[in-house]
């Protein structure tokens, strides 16, 4: 019977296999440190394959480099023998929710999710720690001492003498930051769909370096936009009041968007509300357009200066189709447009031509717009016709790259969730993220944030679902970083940043449910907490050759004694690449506990003493996959017969053991 490998995939071997598919002559087999044959790349041959001239030595090229880059790439590809353990008591609606909260180092989380969510995520948003000149809490072994950095970057000679001045500001912390973010972006790219987006928040310190890294990881051609968020003012600044941050936006494949003619649009803020107001005024005043206009303009006057609904106030005319404006430009953009004859409907004479030609390429196309009521003529032919725009027919828009979002508002709304306490500094505005989620994703897509922080992304996804409709799933990952001692978070009772994230999602979800919700939302405000831990398997599972004969009897069971059956189940889900949010229920069958994942998508029984009768009953369910514990069978004969039983009763079932 085949066994599950029970560790994350070896991405180096995966990458080499892809190279072999393109350049078979560049890949061979070589013995690893353990003596086993592994795929290996002939780099000299590969370099020659990628060059149209003879390659002799290192060539100068345009690229970003820093001390530690190669180690970071190796670390991104190396497998880990870890797992995700469920924490029911910290979860909300564990058995039914579609959302995940992963507690642990996000580099490990990204590795563990590679098989399950490969190419399935529509949007990744991250707000990584900004470079403040300090080391990071992420334990990648990338953070170096000053001495290590100077030696590696050739800023120190063999005797330890410094070769350059100002070593502290000469790249060490930039290198540490790049080495921290680089492998995470490498792994994140693999999770994105071809039409998926990644959005990364950053400030001035590393914006230029982040752009270069993302160009390398995602491809310069897949850069979409650099968003600028005007957040606040600092009157105590010495030189300029820097009150903005950036969001760099990339798509996995811009060609995918072009091939499918995918365009991004967002609903104009307040259109639904304006519809409701207009309908009420029609009910009160019928077709008295003067009174209706007065009521709508009074409604417009309630908008504040920074209100996102303010553009609606430009629709100052009204008829049965609703608010409209008729001052639209009918000119061909750039000049040199078509000059066909358009007759005025009253005078019958040719209308005055727009300076750069008609906006519509043919007279037929122009007449179609007239029939739809989208062209407005002047009193006679001496006036150029204009374009009419109806608000209720033109309710979406392209987002601008400069956005306004005041940090104080986000902070106050966050503090309100925690009874006025500031348990987290500088939380991102969940409404901004909700806007981006709605703009970049569809109603059933997956959103992933592996620097969850205060939980703003999860809050934003719930807000988007409840406001715009849809059942988007959110995966959040946050390392269990300790809060500062004597901080408001510590005084409030929090020990870890991840505890703040989880509690924020709990409270925000309940608050959203108390308000008005979109009818097309499943009202899922839960999340399934999974914690990164060492493998459930004992060391003998991974290193059987290092186990002496005297130890065999004490290690018959290859599972650690403190692990539950549900712990084993989630490691199996990871290893098999099964969706971690599928519904799970357990039943007692012939006295044994059997897990049913999404009915029969996967069945598992990790009890001891499994008989042939039980195996036959489980085979009768015809599951897609089934897994047992290798040491769980009543006798060797049952273990031998398992595959034959399924071959006879359910030949499509994939059978494995741990």
């Amino acid at each position: 019977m085949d066994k599950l490998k029970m560790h994350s995939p070896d991405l180096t071997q995966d990458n080499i296999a892809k190279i072999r598919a393109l350049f078979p002559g560049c890949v061979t087999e070589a013995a690893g440190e353990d003596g086993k044959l592994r795929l290996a790349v002939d780099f000299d041959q590969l370099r020659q394959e990628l060059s149209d001239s003879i390659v002799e030595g290192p060539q100068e090229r345009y690229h970003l480099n820093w001390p530690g880059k190669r180690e970071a790439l190796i670390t991104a590809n190396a497998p880990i023998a870890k797992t995700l353990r469920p924490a029911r008591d910290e979860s909300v609606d564990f058995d039914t929710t579609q959302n995940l909260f992963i507690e642990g180092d996000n580099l490990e989380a990204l590795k563990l999710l590679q098989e399950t969510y490969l190419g399935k995520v529509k949007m990744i948003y991250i707000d990584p720690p900004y470079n403040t000149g300090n080391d990071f809490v992420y334990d990648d072994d990338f953070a170096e001492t000053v001495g290590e950095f100077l030696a590696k970057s050739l800023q120190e000679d063999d005797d330890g003498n410094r070769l350059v001045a100002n070593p502290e500001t000469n790249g060490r912390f930039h290198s540490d930051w790049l080495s921290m973010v680089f492998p995470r972006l490498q792994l994140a790219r693999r999770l994105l769909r071809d039409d998926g987006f990644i959005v990364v928040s950053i400030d001035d310190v590393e914006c230029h370096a982040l752009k270069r890294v993302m160009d390398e990881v995602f491809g310069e051609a897949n850069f979409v936009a650099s968003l600028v968020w005007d957040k606040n003012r600092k009157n105590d600044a010495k030189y300029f009041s820097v009150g903005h941050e950036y969001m760099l936006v990339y798509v996995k494949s811009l060609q995918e968007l072009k091939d499918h003619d995918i365009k991004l649009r967002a609903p104009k803020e307040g259109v639904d509300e304006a519809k409701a107001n207009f309908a009420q005024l029609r009910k009160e005043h019928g077709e008295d357009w003067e009174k209706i206009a007065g009521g709508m303009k009074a409604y417009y006057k309630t908008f504040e200066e920074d209100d996102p609904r303010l553009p609606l106030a430009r629709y100052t005319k009204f008829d049965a189709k609703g608010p409209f404006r008729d001052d639209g430009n009918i000119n061909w953009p750039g000049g040199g447009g078509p000059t066909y004859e358009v007759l005025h409907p009253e005078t019958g004479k040719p209308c005055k031509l727009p300076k750069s030609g008609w906006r519509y390429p043919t007279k037929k196309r122009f007449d179609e717009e007239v029939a739809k009521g989208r062209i407005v003529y002047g009193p006679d032919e001496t006036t150029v016709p204009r374009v009419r725009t109806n608000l209720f027919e033109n309710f979406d828009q392209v987002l601008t790259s400069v956005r306004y979002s005041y940090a104080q508002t986000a902070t106050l709304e966050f503090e309100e969730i925690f009874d006025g306490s500031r348990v987290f500094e500088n939380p991102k505005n969940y409404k901004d993220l909700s806007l981006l989620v709605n703009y970049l994703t569809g109603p059933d897509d997956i959103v992933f944030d592996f620097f969850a922080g205060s939980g703003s992304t999860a809050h934003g996804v719930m807000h988007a679902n409840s406001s715009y409709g849809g059942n988007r799933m959110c995966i959040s990952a946050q390392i269990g970083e300790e809060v500062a001692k004597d901080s408001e978070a510590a005084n409030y009772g929090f020990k870890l940043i991840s505890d703040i994230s989880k509690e924020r999602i709990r409270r925000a979800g309940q608050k959203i449910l108390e308000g008005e919700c979109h009818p097309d939302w499943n009202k899922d405000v839960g999340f399934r907490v999974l914690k990164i831990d060492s493998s459930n398997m004992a060391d003998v599972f991974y290193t059987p050759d290092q186990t002496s004969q005297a130890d065999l009897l004490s290690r018959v069971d290859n599972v650690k004694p403190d692990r539950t059956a549900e712990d084993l189940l989630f490691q199996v889900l990871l290893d098999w690449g099964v969706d971690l949010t599928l519904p799970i229920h357990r039943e007692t069958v012939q006295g044994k506990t059997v897990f049913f994942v999404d009915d029969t998508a996967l069945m598992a029984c990790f009890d001891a003493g499994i008989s042939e009768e039980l195996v036959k009953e489980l085979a009768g369910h015809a599951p897609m996959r089934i897994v047992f514990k290798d040491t769980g069978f009543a006798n060797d004969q049952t273990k031998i017969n398992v595959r034959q039983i399924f071959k006879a009763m359910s030949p499509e079932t994939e059978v494995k053991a741990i």
Side-chain angles (χ1 to χ4, degrees):
M1 189 185 310
D2 295 336
K3 290 188 178 181
L4 293 163
K5 61 184 183 298
M6 307 300 274
H7 59 69
S8 69
D10 187 337
L11 299 183
T12 298
Q13 290 294 293
D14 287 351
N15 290 336
I16 293 175
K18 292 173 184 175
I19 291 174
R20 182 170 61 174
L22 294 173
F23 307 107
C26 297
V27 176
T28 184
E29 289 185 345
E33 294 181 2
D34 58 1
K36 295 181 179 179
L37 290 178
R38 295 165 60 86
L39 296 178
V41 175
D42 181 341
F43 288 102
D44 290 334
Q45 182 64 28
L46 180 61
R47 289 172 59 217
Q48 188 60 68
E49 286 275 8
L50 301 176
S51 175
D52 56 4
S53 60
I54 296 176
V55 176
E56 295 180 352
Q59 301 293 312
E60 291 182 344
R61 61 189 177 92
Y62 178 77
H63 72 293
L64 176 64
N65 208 354
W66 68 90
K69 181 178 181 180
R70 284 178 294 181
E71 291 90 335
L73 185 56
I74 291 171
T75 300
N77 291 333
I80 57 173
K82 293 203 172 186
T83 189
L84 295 174
R85 299 180 66 187
R88 281 183 170 271
D89 57 333
E90 298 179 31
S91 305
V92 176
D93 301 329
F94 184 94
D95 291 316
T96 58
T97 184
Q98 294 293 298
N99 304 310
L100 294 177
F101 188 97
I102 299 172
E103 183 171 301
D105 190 319
N106 55 16
L107 184 65
E108 295 175 343
L110 285 161
K111 291 185 177 187
L112 291 171
L113 298 179
Q114 285 296 304
E115 294 195 50
T116 306
Y117 294 105
L118 182 69
K120 295 181 180 179
V121 176
K122 183 60 186 292
M123 174 184 172
I124 294 174
Y125 169 77
I126 57 171
D127 180 21
Y130 294 169
N131 191 353
T132 59
N134 298 312
D135 291 327
F136 306 101
V137 298
Y138 299 92
D139 187 19
D140 303 337
D141 293 329
F142 295 145
E144 303 171 301
T145 64
V146 174
E148 289 170 337
F149 174 76
L150 294 177
K152 185 180 289 185
S153 57
L154 304 179
Q155 297 182 50
E156 195 174 71
D157 62 22
D158 293 339
D159 297 323
N161 299 312
R162 292 180 177 175
L163 303 178
V164 294
N166 275 337
E168 286 285 354
T169 59
N170 205 40
R172 173 197 167 202
F173 291 115
H174 290 290
S175 294
D176 287 351
W177 190 87
L178 288 168
S179 290
M180 181 275 293
V181 77
F182 180 58
R184 289 166 170 82
L185 292 174
Q186 289 275 3
L187 292 167
R189 182 183 180 277
R190 294 168 59 90
L191 299 180
L192 280 179
R193 288 168 28 173
D194 286 342
D195 62 348
F197 295 87
I198 181 168
V199 183
V200 185
S201 287
I202 198 65
D203 67 354
D204 280 321
V205 176
E206 293 295 355
C207 185
H208 61 294
L210 177 65
K211 177 70 168 60
R212 294 281 300 279
V213 167
M214 294 188 72
D215 282 346
E216 180 169 328
V217 174
F218 293 92
E220 189 174 0
N222 295 316
F223 171 69
V224 177
S226 176
L227 309 183
V228 181
W229 293 80
D230 189 346
K231 298 171 69 71
N232 49 39
R233 300 286 184 268
K234 299 177 181 178
N235 290 327
D236 58 347
K238 290 183 179 180
Y239 308 113
F240 289 91
S241 176
V242 179
H244 67 272
E245 292 180 350
Y246 306 95
M247 286 185 185
L248 300 186
V249 184
Y250 283 73
V251 66
K252 176 81 169 283
S253 171
L254 192 63
Q255 190 61 47
E256 180 77 8
L257 302 188
K258 292 178 179 178
D259 289 346
H260 294 88
D261 195 27
I262 296 173
K263 297 178 181 178
L264 300 178
R265 295 293 184 271
K268 290 179 178 176
E269 291 284 346
V271 172
D272 288 341
E273 186 179 82
K275 279 185 179 180
N277 273 282
F278 182 77
Q280 182 61 34
L281 290 168
R282 283 295 308 271
K283 187 176 179 181
E284 293 175 3
H285 305 298
E287 294 192 3
D288 189 336
W289 302 114
E290 187 174 342
K291 287 184 178 180
I292 290 173
M296 288 299 293
K297 290 177 181 178
Y299 163 64
Y300 292 158
K301 288 181 179 178
T302 64
F303 300 164
E304 299 289 339
E305 185 177 346
D306 60 345
D307 194 314
R309 299 171 298 171
L310 197 59
L312 302 186
R314 293 180 294 181
Y315 292 83
T316 57
K317 296 184 178 181
F318 307 89
D319 63 14
K321 290 186 177 181
F324 70 92
R325 49 188 301 191
D326 57 3
D327 56 353
N329 192 334
I330 205 165
N331 281 277
W332 182 272
T339 57
Y340 46 78
E341 187 177 83
V342 172
L343 301 179
H344 192 276
E346 297 296 331
T347 67
K349 297 179 180 179
C351 289
K352 182 180 179 180
L353 285 171
K355 289 183 180 179
S356 59
W358 296 109
R359 173 178 175 175
Y360 307 103
T362 64
K363 179 64 164 55
K364 180 181 178 183
R365 179 78 175 82
F366 183 96
D367 290 341
E368 288 174 355
E369 292 300 299
V370 172
K372 293 175 183 177
R374 295 175 181 170
I375 303 295
V376 177
Y377 291 91
D380 56 37
E381 72 280 357
T382 61
T383 305
V384 177
R386 302 181 307 280
V387 174
R388 167 177 166 145
T389 305
N390 300 312
L391 175 60
F392 299 155
E393 294 177 1
N394 184 46
F395 51 82
D396 58 14
Q397 60 189 347
V398 179
L399 289 186
T400 59
S401 62
V402 179
R403 314 293 303 172
Y404 296 92
S405 176
Y406 296 105
Q408 187 63 23
T409 301
T411 299
L412 290 174
E413 289 182 339
F414 178 80
E415 290 176 2
E416 184 181 343
I417 295 175
F418 289 99
D419 311 312
S421 295
R422 183 172 291 191
V423 298
F424 192 93
E425 293 294 327
N426 303 317
K428 284 289 183 288
N429 190 326
Y430 74 90
K431 292 180 182 176
D432 297 340
L433 299 181
S434 174
L435 180 70
L436 287 173
V437 166
N438 187 57
Y439 194 62
L440 297 176
T441 70
D444 299 304
D445 287 336
I446 300 174
V447 179
F448 186 20
D449 180 357
F450 51 88
F451 285 97
S454 68
S456 292
T457 301
H459 190 170
V461 171
M462 290 188 294
H463 182 268
N465 286 337
S466 66
S467 300
Y468 307 112
N471 301 304
R472 298 166 184 84
M473 166 191 168
C474 183
I475 305 174
S476 306
Q478 174 59 40
I479 194 170
E481 177 186 356
E482 293 186 0
V483 302
K485 294 180 179 179
D486 299 325
S487 64
E488 283 199 50
N491 294 334
Y492 201 87
F494 291 116
K495 294 181 179 179
L496 305 174
I497 296 295
S498 51
D499 293 336
I500 298 175
S501 309
K502 288 177 283 190
E503 186 61 20
R504 191 264 183 88
I505 301 170
R506 293 186 193 103
R507 297 189 180 197
Q510 287 304 308
K511 187 175 181 180
I512 287 174
L513 289 178
E514 292 169 3
E516 292 187 12
C517 301
H518 197 284
D520 296 330
W521 176 42
N522 60 13
K523 297 187 177 181
D524 182 3
V525 295
F527 54 94
R528 185 176 279 183
V529 177
L530 305 174
K531 296 191 177 186
I532 298 175
D533 205 336
S534 60
S535 172
N536 296 312
M537 314 311 291
D539 293 341
V540 64
F541 181 89
Y542 299 103
T543 57
D545 55 328
Q546 297 177 20
T547 303
S548 66
Q549 190 170 5
D551 292 332
L552 286 178
L553 289 177
S554 63
R555 298 188 178 184
V556 170
D557 194 339
N558 57 13
V559 177
K560 292 177 180 175
D562 64 333
R563 303 305 167 91
T564 67
E566 197 164 58
D567 289 336
L568 295 177
L569 176 64
F570 272 88
Q571 188 157 358
V572 168
L573 294 177
L574 277 175
D575 201 82
W576 233 324
V578 178
D579 188 343
L580 299 175
T581 66
L582 290 177
I584 299 169
H585 76 276
R586 65 180 78 193
E587 294 180 10
T588 300
V589 182
Q590 297 188 21
K592 307 299 182 185
T593 299
V594 180
F595 291 95
F596 293 79
V597 179
D598 196 24
D599 196 15
T600 57
L602 184 147
M603 292 170 58
C605 181
F606 303 114
D607 286 357
I610 295 173
S611 64
E612 282 196 24
E613 289 73 22
L614 175 60
V615 173
K616 289 177 181 177
E617 183 170 346
L618 297 181
H621 289 273
M624 291 176 60
R625 313 172 186 86
I626 193 164
V627 62
F628 301 96
K629 194 161 63 169
D630 192 49
T631 58
F633 299 99
N635 51 59
D636 290 342
Q637 190 61 42
T638 301
K639 181 177 178 180
I640 293 170
N641 290 340
V642 167
R643 187 168 294 281
Q644 294 306 316
I645 292 171
F646 273 92
K647 188 175 181 180
M649 297 183 63
S650 181
E652 301 299 320
T653 299
E654 191 174 357
V655 184
K656 290 195 177 182
I658 62 170

